[in-house]
Amino acid sequence: SPSFRRCHQGAAVTQNATTAAPHLVQAPTRHPARTPALLAMALRGVDEPVSVDRAIAPSIRAVAPQAVALKGVDEAVSIERALRGTEKGFGAAAAGAVPIVDLQAADADEQLWRAATTVGFFTIINHGLPAALIDEGFGAAREFFAQSKDTKYAQSPFAPQMNSGYEYMSQVRPSTGTPDQKESLQITARACAMDGRWPQRPDSFETSARALLEKAHELAARLLSLFESRACPKVAAGTLASAHTLWSEGGQCTLRMLHSPPMEAHDPTSSAPAVWRAGPHTDWDCVTLLFQRPGEAGLECASNPNAPGGVDSDWVAVNPVEGGIAVNIGDMLSRWSDGRLFSNLHRVRLPTPAECRPVPESRYSIAFFMQADKEVLIESETHEPITAGDYILHRIASNFKR
């Protein structure tokens, strides 16, 4: 059947990707994920599994002790909720920039470690991903999003249990309480997850998306291997990279194509609820690669309040760099590393008045989320063990409303 062929092809991709990456040698601890109850809550989009401090704090750092005390998967949600309605959460970014790391530099590993343990957000250059492959991905995304909403839903219906398919302004961040002003196509690299969900337009969509996903996965595995000995000194070599597979039964790595439609600049005098193209949040994964287009600004970051260092000001721009890829540490790796690495708060603001001239424009981006396989057990010295599948479902339940 077509479904069987798709699953069989997915297994072949996983095998080939592993063979091509000799550093994927150590099998991580795997355990059946206790997902049924969490999955049911995630599908309802409720907040029952989230026990957080809902107080609104005047600053990010003021809520850090509360977040630390929670010591679990709700830490990040607590931080995000505490930003709602505050000047800290919605204030303008100051001047500054995140580090740029040249992966071909002799001290690239040291540059990466310094950026990951302070700001938690950086841009890499000379990374080895062909520019043509990235351009093809953006071209496919533009053509898909140019269709009517009904057509996009029909071509790629969203499947919550697979975290795959098309969504339209459905994500509500704990930090804002309002939907992110964007549409997205989620491509989760799990066996059969995209059956009946690959867009038909353009004809090359699946080929382009798979190619970009696989190269992004290779690069993310390389970054994890560079971090591993210092971030997770007690795990066997290769554990982090081999915990993330493509097109396997438990795969969770995701390529997300994003489109923020043209919008007018934010009116600070308006009494309407503040909206964002993406409200302040941390990512749930180990590491995120974000592809941006020059001239399409808006991404901003601030260090996790639990980090000892970080950016000099509250928020700074993560502007597109020609040939560069923005990278940030996620909550999963922060947990796995016992806090040696810190996940990073980031957001995408509305366009400025200058950016709306002569007319407002769309913003496109593509994110690759390196998320460990569902059955992988995330073990650390300071947190209870939890499977990566349960971890992700917990976060989904706290971040989406239906």
Side-chain angles (χ1 to χ4, degrees):
S1 69
S3 179
F4 174 80
R5 287 196 297 272
R6 186 70 54 85
C7 292
H8 181 74
Q9 291 167 357
V13 170
T14 302
Q15 183 179 4
N16 293 341
T18 303
T19 302
H23 59 276
L24 305 184
V25 295
Q26 176 65 35
T29 302
R30 294 175 182 266
H31 190 279
R34 301 182 303 277
T35 58
L38 280 172
L39 176 59
M41 287 184 280
L43 298 183
R44 293 200 307 271
V46 297
D47 288 338
E48 284 99 319
V50 183
S51 174
V52 296
D53 189 322
R54 297 174 180 270
I56 295 178
S59 70
I60 294 177
R61 290 196 176 274
V63 303
Q66 298 167 345
V68 171
L70 291 171
K71 286 289 183 183
V73 293
D74 300 325
E75 278 183 314
V77 180
S78 176
I79 293 170
E80 291 174 27
R81 286 194 190 281
L83 296 177
R84 187 182 295 190
T86 67
E87 182 179 352
K88 181 64 64 172
F90 294 91
V98 299
I100 296 178
V101 178
D102 184 347
L103 289 188
Q104 292 186 2
D107 64 340
D109 55 346
E110 186 60 37
Q111 291 184 43
L112 284 171
W113 184 255
R114 188 182 311 116
T117 53
T118 53
V119 185
F121 220 119
F122 47 94
T123 297
I124 55 175
I125 58 174
N126 293 323
H127 42 70
L129 261 70
L133 188 63
I134 299 171
D135 291 341
E136 287 176 12
F138 274 103
R142 283 178 180 272
E143 192 164 344
F144 171 75
F145 288 126
Q147 302 173 104
S148 71
K149 185 165 60 174
D150 288 344
T151 298
K152 288 176 283 195
Y153 273 124
Q155 288 187 12
S156 190
F158 187 72
Q161 72 277 16
M162 293 290 191
N163 193 34
S164 296
Y166 173 71
E167 292 183 307
Y168 181 81
M169 297 194 184
S170 62
Q171 189 164 16
V172 179
R173 307 284 184 184
S175 61
T176 63
T178 57
D180 284 355
Q181 302 299 291
K182 67 177 187 296
E183 57 182 341
S184 67
L185 180 65
Q186 305 250 124
I187 302 170
T188 294
R190 181 182 308 152
C192 303
M194 290 301 292
D195 281 2
R197 275 176 279 280
W198 284 110
Q200 287 84 56
R201 179 184 174 189
D203 294 339
S204 60
F205 188 98
E206 180 177 352
T207 300
S208 297
R210 279 183 179 270
L212 180 56
L213 192 153
E214 288 160 18
K215 287 298 183 182
H217 175 264
E218 290 179 12
L219 177 57
R222 177 184 171 193
L223 294 176
L224 288 178
S225 295
L226 289 171
F227 287 135
E228 185 176 69
S229 63
R230 296 170 77 173
C232 305
K234 294 191 176 182
V235 305
T239 295
L240 295 185
S242 62
H244 305 75
T245 61
L246 298 182
W247 308 111
S248 64
E249 292 293 333
Q252 296 194 117
C253 292
T254 301
L255 188 74
R256 191 179 195 191
M257 295 181 168
L258 298 143
H259 170 229
S260 297
M263 299 183 67
E264 297 292 341
H266 172 61
D267 180 3
T269 66
S270 173
S271 60
V275 295
W276 295 81
R277 282 177 159 171
H281 64 283
T282 57
D283 288 344
W284 315 337
D285 58 352
C286 280
V287 66
T288 301
L289 307 183
L290 185 69
F291 303 89
Q292 304 185 89
R293 299 278 81 180
E296 298 181 10
L299 177 64
E300 299 171 341
C301 77
S303 67
N304 186 304
N306 300 327
V311 292
D312 293 333
S313 57
D314 297 326
W315 295 90
V316 295
V318 188
N319 289 328
V321 173
E322 188 69 44
I325 302 172
V327 181
N328 64 277
I329 304 301
D331 299 326
M332 188 180 288
L333 184 55
S334 179
R335 181 187 184 91
W336 219 332
S337 68
D338 281 304
R340 295 180 182 89
L341 299 179
F342 293 93
S343 55
N344 180 282
L345 284 163
H346 50 286
R347 64 190 187 184
V348 181
R349 58 166 173 76
L350 294 186
T352 65
E355 291 168 345
C356 290
R357 294 192 290 266
V359 294
E361 300 284 351
S362 290
R363 183 181 191 275
Y364 294 88
S365 61
I366 301 175
F368 174 74
F369 300 101
M370 189 72 156
Q371 300 178 151
D373 294 355
K374 291 171 64 175
E375 67 275 15
V376 168
L377 197 62
I378 301 172
E379 299 177 282
S380 65
E381 298 176 53
T382 56
H383 297 287
E384 292 183 5
I386 186 173
T387 63
D390 285 347
Y391 185 86
I392 294 298
L393 287 172
H394 193 111
R395 294 303 310 273
I396 290 174
S398 65
N399 279 264
F400 284 82
K401 293 182 179 179
R402 300 296 182 204

